Amino acid sequence: MTKLSKLNASNPKVWVVIGVGIAGVLILAEVQRRRIKSRSCVKEDFGAFIERFELLPFAQPPPPAARLQLSGLTFAINDNIDVKDYVTGYGSADWRRTHEAAGKTAIVVTSMLRNGATCVGKTVMDELGFGILGENKKYGTPTNPQQPSHVPGGSSSGSAVAVAAHLVDFALGTDTVGDIRVPASFCGILAFRPSHGIVSTVGVLPNSQSLDTVGWLAYDPSVLHRVGHALLQLNLLEPKRTRRIIIADDLFQLSKVPMQKTVYVVSKVTEKLSGYQTPKHMNFGQYIASYVPSLKVFREESSNQQTGISTLKALFSAMLLLQSYEFKTNHDEWVKSVKPKLSPGISDRVWAAINTIQENIKSLYKVRMEMRAALQSLLKDDGVLVVPTVADSPPKLNSSKGLPAEFHDRMYILLSIANMSGGCQVVIPFGKHDDSPISVSFIASHGTDKFLLDTVLDTYSSLQEEVNIVSSCSLLPDANGNMDAAELLKEKGNAAYKGKQWNKAVSYYAEAIKLNETNATYYSNRAAAYLELGCFQQAEEDCSKAISVDKKNVKAYLRRGTARESLLFYKEALQDFKHALVLEPQNKVASLAEKRLRKLIS
């Protein structure tokens, strides 16, 4: 008889073995069920939430009182905003582990509940509010609903994703150096950064008090408006003012989105609407260079950088130094004692801030003071500055290590205007370009938040209509004409150029190009005039056309290199100067530029 045949139903050991086996199967099944449920939850909420809960709104007043402003709306909040009896995690597992539950709920959350909204949870954010891409290694990166394989932007990544995925009606986030504006742009939704100090930050973990604001995100302009009125306690009735629209042409040069998808749309709409003056164009960098003299301390020495761009680089350098100084003041002791495990990019920035010794603190606050005065002088209480929100498309996931320095340079130049002036800024989605969301921002001076919110509500539907029209159209090609007439126009252009009449030179060269599109010199010459005007994107495009016609046009390579360097595309600029050196090995301009850029990139 075999051993197996000895096992029978009367043997207690048999039942023990069977019981253990069944229990094991049940445990495995439960584990698998929870895994599947966990996966489906993440998929369902796009990974936007760290924890879900429900804070019900305050009691609705009985009739005949009007319904509360935010009645029926749901919202989410960043993980750096306090809720009583919940630990505020600041996007970091180590912060959550070393801190107790909050004793009170943040004033901004209470304000939303008092106005009828329901809070449904806390969202993922970059650790300690220091990221700009929205990637969080511990809690996972929220999925960008517009481009799932690309980053959602940060640090208020989960809040932006929750809104973009229509999981909530609006969300509260914090914006220190762009933390709600970047994810709003990357996810294709609206966002509002209020004037500094207007919205209470009591119950919100500080990053840098001089820059911190609590802002909000929404996909519906009326919701954005309603939240703003509730949070800022604004008067509903106010006399309508004529609006002055000012377009920062030099800042749109930093973006590779065609201007017919941005500047043209704004111009077309505001020219049609009543109460809006014809848009004016300006070089914003040059204006700041004149009106914020304290920035000279922070400017890098460069023989080839335009004054306006180098000044704006100095502006964001001062901004990041101010952030580092105040972050260190707030969290130096905790970082040094806990030594938190942070994502590589975040860790580098946090420790750089902790180890920074800033000697001339007063100069940072002086820049901030002068910037506020400069923007107030330009915009007063009826002006709107129009700029791109960001310069580049959302990078792909896990590509942060490969991003060039100029990516951050272009981004921070645009973000630093509202940060350092304390003004208010709204992000408005403008459709897509090359499958990536694009947006334009309106900036107004400090304290004119209602004016800016009303401007958005007033223009939004018209802007979206024009965006749809432009997206469905293509530009008509120019016609060819007589070549002798084209040469005559070129000579007139050269004369205007020598007389420093740059705009007139551009016009003559443009007429020559209409008559003959196959002459590389016309494009190259117009590019030279564009460079003098600070129109770097147009200069780059003209040089590219010249090179496509004549691969040995040294001047086109040199001018395109200059344009790209001014646009902060250092690697591309370096390649252009290298091409010029291959064609003319003794070219001193190309040689000096190549050495300078090699040093800059390294």
Side-chain angles (χ1 to χ4, degrees):
M1 184 181 291
T2 65
K3 290 183 180 180
L4 286 174
S5 64
K6 292 181 180 178
L7 293 173
N8 55 60
S10 62
N11 191 334
K13 293 181 180 180
V14 173
W15 294 106
V16 171
V17 171
I18 293 171
V20 169
I22 292 172
V25 170
L26 290 173
I27 289 169
L28 289 171
E30 177 62 15
V31 169
Q32 186 67 14
R33 186 188 69 80
R34 289 184 180 183
R35 281 177 180 169
I36 293 169
K37 184 181 178 182
S38 173
R39 285 174 194 154
S40 64
C41 267
V42 171
K43 187 176 181 181
E44 182 183 316
D45 70 8
F46 289 78
F49 288 88
I50 279 184
E51 56 184 331
R52 291 273 204 167
F53 51 75
E54 188 174 67
L55 302 179
L56 295 175
F58 288 19
Q60 181 82 24
R67 283 171 61 83
L68 296 172
Q69 277 182 298
L70 307 179
S71 183
L73 300 182
T74 59
F75 71 102
I77 61 173
N78 253 24
D79 190 32
N80 57 350
I81 300 175
D82 286 346
V83 170
K84 186 179 179 180
D85 298 329
Y86 289 87
V87 177
T88 306
Y90 215 174
S92 161
D94 285 319
W95 185 280
R96 184 177 291 273
R97 176 177 56 81
T98 55
H99 288 79
E100 296 181 352
K104 292 182 178 180
T105 296
I107 288 176
V108 287
V109 177
T110 303
S111 177
M112 297 295 94
L113 300 175
R114 183 176 289 115
N115 280 278
T118 301
C119 182
V120 297
K122 285 196 175 190
T123 53
V124 177
M125 62 177 289
D126 288 84
E127 297 151 298
L128 311 184
F130 249 111
I132 206 76
L133 298 179
E135 294 180 306
N136 189 309
K137 300 298 182 185
K138 170 64 180 177
Y139 296 110
T141 300
T143 302
N144 184 338
Q146 293 279 347
Q147 284 187 299
S149 61
H150 294 247
V151 299
S155 65
S156 303
S157 53
S159 288
V161 167
V163 170
H166 293 214
L167 303 175
V168 291
D169 296 299
F170 69 94
L172 300 181
T174 52
D175 192 306
T176 302
V177 296
D179 310 71
I180 66 164
R181 288 165 290 164
V182 173
S185 183
F186 284 1
C187 292
I189 57 173
L190 291 149
F192 195 90
R193 175 194 161 100
S195 295
H196 185 263
I198 297 291
V199 177
S200 172
T201 55
V202 175
V204 180
L205 290 174
N207 182 289
S208 170
Q209 293 93 319
S210 295
L211 304 171
D212 289 343
T213 57
V214 178
W216 56 100
L217 308 105
Y219 53 83
D220 185 318
S222 66
V223 172
L224 189 85
H225 195 262
R226 287 160 64 189
V227 173
H229 272 256
L231 203 53
L232 300 171
Q233 299 179 350
L234 300 172
N235 294 322
L236 291 175
L237 297 176
E238 185 179 287
K240 188 172 181 180
R241 301 194 290 272
T242 299
R243 286 161 165 79
R244 294 182 297 113
I245 303 298
I246 301 169
I247 296 171
D249 286 336
D250 55 325
L251 299 183
F252 278 98
Q253 303 297 321
L254 297 175
S255 171
K256 288 201 169 183
V257 176
M259 289 198 185
Q260 65 263 30
K261 288 192 172 185
T262 53
V263 172
Y264 172 82
V265 169
V266 174
S267 298
K268 191 82 172 173
V269 167
T270 51
E271 284 169 5
K272 289 179 181 177
L273 293 173
S274 63
Y276 290 79
Q277 293 183 8
T278 301
K280 293 183 179 179
H281 297 258
M282 74 174 299
N283 186 307
F284 185 75
Q286 289 180 2
Y287 174 82
I288 294 302
S290 300
Y291 284 83
V292 189
S294 58
L295 279 172
K296 290 177 182 177
V297 178
F298 302 96
R299 278 182 58 182
E300 297 175 359
E301 292 185 11
S302 173
S303 60
N304 203 43
Q305 199 119 63
Q306 298 289 326
T307 304
I309 292 296
S310 62
T311 299
L312 292 173
K313 285 186 69 176
L315 180 64
F316 85 68
S317 294
M319 174 189 75
L320 295 179
L321 286 170
L322 179 59
Q323 182 193 22
S324 294
Y325 169 72
E326 293 189 339
F327 179 85
K328 179 179 180 178
T329 303
N330 293 326
H331 304 304
D332 180 77
E333 185 179 340
W334 180 81
V335 173
K336 286 181 177 176
S337 62
V338 174
K339 294 181 174 56
K341 294 179 181 177
L342 303 168
S343 303
I346 305 290
S347 181
D348 292 344
R349 288 190 62 193
V350 167
W351 283 105
I354 296 300
N355 295 325
T356 295
I357 299 174
Q358 183 62 38
E359 296 177 353
N360 193 359
I361 303 301
K362 289 183 179 179
S363 63
L364 298 173
Y365 294 105
K366 190 174 182 181
V367 169
R368 190 166 160 265
M369 180 182 69
E370 289 179 357
M371 264 299 291
R372 181 170 296 190
L375 212 67
Q376 178 63 45
S377 177
L378 175 67
L379 301 177
K380 298 181 173 59
D381 64 351
D382 64 347
V384 175
L385 181 69
V386 183
V387 302
T389 308
V390 295
D392 296 272
S393 302
K396 288 192 173 182
L397 292 165
N398 304 313
S399 64
S400 57
K401 288 183 180 179
L403 290 176
E406 54 263 36
F407 172 87
H408 293 94
D409 287 1
R410 289 190 294 272
M411 182 175 285
Y412 286 131
I413 278 177
L414 296 169
L415 297 171
S416 62
I417 300 166
N419 297 341
M420 292 299 280
S421 69
C424 46
Q425 178 173 342
V426 65
V427 177
I428 306 173
F430 264 45
K432 288 190 173 186
H433 176 65
D434 290 342
D435 295 326
S436 291
I438 56 176
S439 69
V440 165
S441 276
F442 291 175
I443 298 175
S445 58
H446 184 273
T448 58
D449 299 65
K450 183 182 187 306
F451 166 77
L452 188 58
L453 279 167
D454 290 349
T455 301
V456 178
L457 200 61
D458 196 35
T459 60
Y460 186 81
S461 60
S462 298
L463 289 169
Q464 298 309 307
E465 285 175 14
E466 194 62 41
V467 164
N468 291 333
I469 292 169
V470 169
S471 298
S472 62
C473 294
S474 57
L475 298 178
L476 295 173
D478 294 328
N480 289 319
N482 183 277
M483 293 187 68
D484 293 332
E487 278 296 301
L488 181 61
L489 286 165
K490 183 199 80 172
E491 292 305 319
K492 287 184 177 182
N494 291 348
Y497 184 91
K498 288 176 183 177
K500 297 185 178 180
Q501 296 175 299
W502 318 123
N503 280 311
K504 190 175 282 189
V506 166
S507 297
Y508 282 130
Y509 293 135
E511 290 302 314
I513 289 168
K514 285 182 181 179
L515 297 176
N516 180 12
E517 292 180 326
T518 61
N519 191 307
T521 302
Y522 300 165
Y523 290 110
S524 181
N525 285 9
R526 188 170 68 173
Y530 274 138
L531 286 175
E532 295 294 343
L533 290 168
C535 299
F536 308 122
Q537 187 181 33
Q538 286 95 327
E540 182 193 26
E541 290 172 358
D542 271 354
C543 290
S544 295
K545 288 175 181 175
I547 291 165
S548 69
V549 174
D550 178 8
K551 295 281 195 274
K552 295 183 179 181
N553 193 315
V554 175
K555 287 183 178 179
Y557 282 113
L558 291 173
R559 289 165 184 168
R560 189 170 71 175
T562 301
R564 285 176 167 175
E565 184 179 355
S566 297
L567 291 169
L568 312 181
F569 292 106
Y570 302 135
K571 289 182 180 178
E572 291 89 340
L574 179 60
Q575 292 303 315
D576 281 333
F577 291 124
K578 281 183 177 179
H579 277 298
L581 280 174
V582 170
L583 295 169
E584 282 186 14
Q586 304 304 316
N587 192 298
K588 290 183 179 180
V589 174
S591 180
L592 289 171
E594 187 200 25
K595 289 176 183 177
R596 181 179 61 253
L597 285 167
R598 281 186 181 279
K599 185 177 180 181
L600 199 60
I601 292 170
S602 62

